[in-house]
Amino acid sequence: MLRGVLGKIFRLVGYTVQYGCIAHCAFEYVGGVVMCSGPSMEPTIQNSDIVFAENLSRHFYGIQRGDIVIAKSPSDPKSNICKRVIGLEGDKILSNSPSDFFKSHSYVPTGHVWLEGDNLQNSTDSRYYGPVPYGLIRGRIFFKIWPLSDFGFLRDSPNGHRFSDD
Amino acid sequence: MAHSQGWVKRYLKAFCKGFFVAVPVAVTFLDRVACVARVEGASMQPSLNPGGSQSSDVVLLNHWKVRNFEVQRGDIVSLVSPKNPEQKIIKRVIALEGDIVKTIGHKNRYVKVPRGHIWVEGDHHGHSFDSNSFGPVSLGLLHAHATHILWPPERWQKLESVLPPERLPVQSEEECLLGSL
């Protein structure tokens, strides 16, 4: 009887490990469902919206200006931030309010991106902590699945284009 | 005829079953637990690649140890290069968040490492593209902790977490906190 129980436990552990590994591979290399919290991407993404994120663009280095990405927070690697890519490496940053981090004109360094939330009044983003290394990007959000009233592909930035690629 | 068809079908079924178990488990293991990598370049001499281009060291990279982003000063770590996300670089951790570092060749003489960041340097100063060039790096870029040299066999060893005494931080976070008591 003990052998039967042990056998069942081993099988259970085996299945858990196997499905855990499949889940890791799926989220790491394909994509997954994410719940966003916070006001910094309103009106595009509201607090507690559920969205679909894909990770293929990150692995193929296909992130573009205007994409909404999930990235690890530069000051806290255990938490994620959700912002829009405003500038890629080499872009000139046009900013209304000078900050002590950079002078009036500066360029996004190589290997970095400039992120801003859509809710400019209420968003801690690259205007505060500077350009974000591309390696921190985890995935690209492209589809909202909850609430159902807002189901579908995500809108363009409500703030127009504030970057130039000269 | 029927017997050989049955054999092929059983073989394919067993193959698919094994494939869908083995591949995700192997990929997850290499991503989350440990993997092996060859070190290129001279930026970590003499600790790694002392022979230059004649023989490259192969190191064991331990992901599991850094799953909570816990590193100590002196650890040799691999991270995603902040200047080129397609590349991984291997350097030594010199300072943690809150420490004040005296830099070599950086535009500021002293740098305080911000929260969530670390300061990394190669052991071969002057031949190393490290924090003295690109500043403190975010802990989110941390990839793995290099714990052992696996190849060539005459260089089998555990990599020690030692901080060269001349690279100790000017003031560490612990000293800052104690000073304010």
Side-chain angles (χ1 to χ4, degrees), chain A residues 18 21 24 29 61 72 74 112, chain B residues 28 31-32 82 86 117 138 140:
Chain A
Q18 182 188 348
C21 294
H24 164 85
Y29 295 103
Y61 304 101
K72 285 200 190 129
H112 289 65
Chain B
T28 307
D31 279 350
R32 295 265 174 161
E86 300 182 33
H117 287 65
S138 177

Side-chain angles (χ1 to χ4, degrees), chain B residues 8-176:
Chain B
V8 167
K9 225 171 140 176
R10 262 196 321 227
Y11 178 80
L12 281 177
K13 215 169 150 182
F15 180 84
C16 286
K17 218 169 145 183
F19 185 83
F20 283 108
V21 170
V23 168
V25 172
V27 168
T28 307
F29 184 88
L30 293 174
D31 279 350
R32 295 265 174 161
V33 180
C35 63
V36 174
R38 177 181 288 269
V39 178
E40 309 268 335
S43 65
M44 282 296 291
Q45 284 177 349
S47 317
L48 297 175
N49 280 9
S53 46
Q54 282 134 341
S55 68
S56 294
D57 288 347
V58 173
V59 293
L60 178 68
L61 294 177
N62 190 337
H63 297 286
W64 190 252
K65 268 189 160 179
V66 298
R67 67 191 184 281
N68 288 323
F69 303 103
E70 282 161 12
V71 284
Q72 302 303 323
R73 297 180 195 87
D75 284 352
I76 299 182
V77 294
S78 68
L79 42 131
V80 176
S81 169
K83 289 297 182 186
N84 181 2
E86 300 182 33
Q87 207 182 45
K88 304 255 181 343
I89 57 176
I90 185 161
K91 301 284 177 249
R92 196 181 289 272
V93 176
I94 299 292
L96 305 175
E97 66 185 21
D99 293 351
I100 301 179
V101 196
K102 184 162 185 226
T103 66
I104 305 171
H106 190 65
K107 54 182 194 292
N108 300 329
R109 197 83 189 285
Y110 293 94
V111 169
K112 179 161 181 170
V113 180
R115 197 166 61 96
H117 287 65
I118 52 174
W119 187 270
V120 295
E121 283 178 11
D123 286 349
H124 196 181
H125 297 301
H127 284 77
S128 170
F129 182 58
D130 54 27
S131 283
N132 289 307
S133 309
F134 46 70
V137 290
S138 177
L139 269 173
L141 294 175
L142 199 60
H143 178 244
H145 178 183
T147 48
H148 295 78
I149 299 181
L150 298 178
W151 190 270
E154 56 267 18
R155 286 191 38 83
W156 277 354
Q157 61 187 271
K158 183 171 179 348
L159 289 168
E160 299 298 335
S161 291
V162 285
L163 202 51
E166 68 271 13
R167 298 308 301 145
L168 281 170
V170 166
Q171 188 179 27
S172 66
E173 168 133 47
E174 294 87 10
E175 288 167 5
C176 290

